Amino acid sequence: MALEQLFERDDAKPIDRTVQKWNTATQSLCIAAMTLFFLMRAYTRVFLLNGFNKEDWTCLGAWLLGVCYSVIALIMGAHGGGLHIDDVSPHDQVVFQKTVYVTMVMYGPTAYLTKVSLLWIMTRVFSPFRKAVTFIYIFLGVMLAYYIPAVIVKIRICDPISKFWAPDHPGTCLNQRSIIMADAVVSVVSDLIILLVPLPLTLGLQLPTKKKMRVMGILGAGGLAVASSIIRLILIVYTGQSEDGTMAFMRINMFGNAEIAIGVICACLPALSAILSRVYHEYSNSNKATGGTSGHELSKMKNQSRSMKTDKSRSRMSYLEMTSDQDVLMHNAQSEPKVETTVHGDRNYYGSENPGGSLAIFKTVDVETSVTRRE
């Protein structure tokens, strides 16, 4: 801090800390929002539903890495990130470059786990659409095939690694801008796919427009991160080779943090939907039970409460089993088969409402039974 004050006196003008302040606000908001939404998801899965599924564990990993990613960005800002490089002391420049190295390595695994959480939810919701599910798994495999070597390349970006934050050391380094650019392009493409995949699948359902919009909104919300990833890509193109690295990379990194935070939050939205659905369900039942009921009838109901306890318990269990993260969006008929209409030689999908107030996808099945009588 003393060196920074010295620079301020030498330059005879105050240091512009606008970007630094924006970084502090951005990272604080990202950490708070990711934590709040993930805790709601964890509460829903542990206390209301049937425990963690595979996508919940990947979401846990994405949240942990996302929080660490934002904390490192705060450290980056404390050591010159967001200031012009001339206003940053040599010591802080070294620390800044070390944080840049860590964030480069962390970005890939964090982004991948976030996207896996979102796409695994889609595979559960749209499991009757086998081609779409197959495409999602192939896409996840392609992303994994990119991110594994990408992380290895970033770890070994310089030989020796210390040359990354000490350019005067002997050794060689790969092109940092090209590596970050590749990551940005992959992020834009993958975010667009996450945004677009639910649209044609949901539009093909025989649902009211409102319900279609709700499903597309919840499942496609993760694609909102595409805005941050596009801005990040643009900044890399125009400022990636700037000599004012402490200013340029801080701006790029903030949009990377925003992209991750939006993805984690959107992966938790089905859990929030589950809580809201449960509250609405209980409120509706309460209104039906008390609406238009006289005092005498209420007294009667109280006297019958013991006999109704078992039925209420069963109803609650049935509701909670039905209302998983994905079932809040659509209840898959494969777990509770229900045939609305049978069309020979064709597959049709229908939507309706289940008792929990959640949407259902029903796959029509053509069943043909033949009976042979033995003489």
Side-chain angles (χ1 to χ4, degrees):
M1 183 61 70
L3 285 172
E4 291 177 358
Q5 291 173 351
L6 179 62
F7 287 141
E8 288 182 8
R9 287 196 300 269
D10 288 344
D11 294 339
K13 63 178 181 180
I15 295 175
D16 184 3
R17 299 184 182 275
T18 304
V19 175
Q20 204 172 46
K21 290 176 182 178
W22 272 107
N23 177 65
T24 301
T26 299
Q27 307 313 329
S28 301
L29 181 61
C30 287
I31 292 171
M34 284 191 291
T35 301
L36 174 63
F37 277 84
F38 179 76
L39 289 177
M40 285 195 296
R41 180 188 181 99
Y43 173 82
T44 304
R45 298 300 307 176
V46 173
F47 295 103
L48 301 184
L49 306 176
N50 56 352
F52 272 33
N53 289 321
K54 58 184 181 180
E55 63 269 19
D56 299 302
W57 291 109
T58 55
C59 189
L60 171 62
W63 168 71
L64 285 172
L65 290 177
V67 170
C68 292
Y69 193 27
S70 289
V71 169
I72 293 168
L74 288 172
I75 297 171
M76 184 187 294
H79 290 276
L83 303 180
H84 294 289
I85 197 164
D86 293 337
D87 297 326
V88 181
S89 69
H91 169 74
D92 280 344
Q93 288 184 34
V94 172
V95 177
F96 174 83
Q97 283 300 109
K98 288 180 179 180
T99 60
V100 170
Y101 175 78
V102 175
T103 56
M104 281 179 58
V105 174
M106 284 186 62
Y107 176 81
T110 309
Y112 183 72
L113 286 177
T114 305
K115 296 174 200 300
V116 168
S117 300
L118 291 163
L119 290 169
W120 269 350
I121 291 174
M122 292 185 197
T123 61
R124 285 180 178 271
V125 171
F126 294 113
S127 56
F129 295 84
R130 294 186 181 179
K131 289 183 180 178
V133 172
T134 301
F135 168 77
I136 289 172
Y137 278 114
I138 292 173
F139 177 59
L140 285 171
V142 170
M143 282 201 300
L144 185 63
Y146 165 77
Y147 278 117
I148 289 176
V151 170
I152 295 172
V153 167
K154 288 180 197 174
I155 292 172
R156 300 296 304 172
I157 190 171
C158 289
D159 185 20
I161 295 174
S162 59
K163 184 172 174 58
F164 187 88
W165 53 81
D168 295 335
H169 286 188
T172 58
C173 286
L174 300 175
N175 190 318
Q176 177 184 338
R177 179 175 178 271
S178 298
I179 294 172
I180 297 176
M181 175 80 75
D183 262 0
V185 171
V186 170
S187 288
V188 170
V189 172
S190 57
D191 288 341
L192 279 171
I193 290 174
I194 292 171
L195 176 66
L196 297 176
V197 162
L199 302 184
L201 299 178
T202 308
L203 288 172
L205 301 174
Q206 294 183 0
L207 289 171
T209 304
K210 259 190 183 178
K211 292 172 187 174
K212 285 185 182 180
M213 297 303 293
R214 186 179 73 182
V215 174
M216 287 189 290
I218 294 176
L219 292 179
L224 293 175
V226 74
S228 294
S229 57
I230 288 174
I231 296 172
R232 181 170 175 265
L233 177 58
I234 293 171
L235 287 173
I236 291 170
V237 171
Y238 286 100
T239 66
Q241 288 186 322
S242 172
E243 294 182 0
D244 198 3
T246 48
M247 175 67 75
F249 190 83
M250 190 79 264
R251 288 172 172 169
I252 293 169
N253 196 65
M254 278 195 293
F255 284 99
N257 290 119
E259 177 193 348
I260 298 298
I262 292 170
V264 171
I265 291 168
C266 292
C268 297
L269 285 180
L272 178 59
S273 182
I275 294 173
L276 294 176
S277 181
R278 182 191 173 198
V279 170
Y280 176 77
H281 176 74
E282 293 183 348
Y283 177 76
S284 297
N285 285 349
S286 175
N287 280 350
K288 286 178 184 177
T290 58
T293 305
S294 66
H296 177 68
E297 289 172 332
L298 285 173
S299 177
K300 251 174 142 185
M301 288 169 64
K302 285 179 183 178
N303 292 333
Q304 295 173 351
S305 62
R306 287 185 182 179
S307 63
M308 293 173 63
K309 187 178 289 185
T310 303
D311 292 337
K312 283 183 179 180
S313 177
R314 285 176 185 169
S315 174
R316 175 179 169 79
M317 283 299 296
S318 174
Y319 171 71
L320 291 180
E321 286 173 2
M322 181 178 298
T323 318
S324 69
D325 292 20
Q326 296 76 31
D327 295 339
V328 168
L329 304 174
M330 291 169 284
H331 181 56
N332 189 349
Q334 290 180 339
S335 60
E336 293 182 17
K338 177 178 177 182
V339 179
E340 294 280 342
T341 307
T342 301
V343 179
H344 185 72
D346 196 9
R347 292 180 178 180
N348 297 309
Y349 298 84
Y350 296 84
S352 67
E353 290 285 335
N354 63 41
S358 51
L359 294 174
I361 289 182
F362 297 111
K363 181 178 181 179
T364 62
V365 181
D366 189 1
V367 179
E368 188 173 323
T369 305
S370 60
V371 180
T372 304
R373 179 179 298 175
R374 292 186 178 179
E375 297 279 335

